[in-house]
Amino acid sequence: MPDPKLTLLPFADISGYTEGFDIVSVQSGHDGLAYVLLINQVPERKQGMFVQTKLNKPYTYKVLIVSDQYVQDVVIGEQHYHYHYVQPLQEHLLLVGARCTYYGNNQFDLNAKVCDMEGATIREFLLGDGIESVQVTKHGTIWTSYFDEGVFGNNGWEQPVGANGLLAWDAYGNVLYKNTAADIADCYALNVINEQEVWFYYYTDFELGCISGGVEPESTRVNFLNPNISGSSGFCTDGYHFLFEAGYGKHLTFIFKKMHKPGSLTEGTEVTLLNEKNTPFQQARQDYRQNRLLLNEGNLLYQVTMKELLSVIE
């Protein structure tokens, strides 16, 4: 039997909002909407540093909040920080920079900014250097995962904020949870389902962890299973079925698996996702959240849910 294929039609075209801007990132929110972060000019990289943290001139960001029915845009001007992620935070927006610098003497960048829907800054706080992913729950819990530099330290951080690889914060930047169950050198993927269910996948064990019971120490439980995939950059799940990016060297190749028995997944089926021209996605940004995968190629947004995948697989 040939591997299943699924053709996706774009649910939104944002080309009317991108003139003079470059797309930085595309993410799903807890609400199922797409959140697109744009900047009026991509900052140059500093020599010997992956990205700048503070910018030498003001930049203008734009956030698009996108459904299949509408696009809302929020302009955030005169910014001197390099942001990479955006999420809804209660009735506001949260912008986060992946990198921040420690300057010594308890001086450091604040790489999280909360803005209102007019683009005005409400507050700023620290979420640490080397952030791989940011996802926020409906009630405002901020989950951050970290890549290796955020875990082991760089940019002046001898005691890195992200040393545990995965943290949860309240809406004001106070730590609610630190991972202690997994030895994370690099948290490759994060999927925050809701307040009671958070999944993560990490190097070097390449195991899936599931945090349940919320962030209170007395109620939190962490269970693990081995998906038998090395180097996946993301996954979505309904708790029983899983769609993974296939791993190292297999960008935009997807593997579908399901729970075979508690703690064990099936070998899996390769799934090909096609665009409206019936050709495979080539350069698409991906974001995995809850039971859906969000894709962005050019100025078009696509989405596939686990239910739609099951219609061609089972």
Side-chain angles (χ1 to χ4, degrees), residues 127 129-135 142-147 150-151 160-169 175-192 197-202 208-211 215 220 222 224 235:
L127 289 178
D129 184 46
I131 294 176
E132 178 72 32
S133 182
V134 181
Q135 296 184 10
I142 303 164
W143 286 86
T144 49
S145 64
Y146 298 82
F147 55 85
V151 172
V161 174
N164 294 75
L166 180 65
L167 282 81
W169 316 73
V175 175
L176 299 174
Y177 173 87
K178 289 185 179 182
N179 158 65
T180 56
D183 185 12
I184 299 175
D186 192 322
C187 193
Y188 277 19
L190 174 68
N191 190 337
V192 177
E197 184 181 352
V198 175
W199 293 82
F200 61 99
Y201 168 84
Y202 62 99
L208 269 178
C210 182
I211 302 168
V215 296
T220 301
V222 186
F224 294 92
F235 63 93

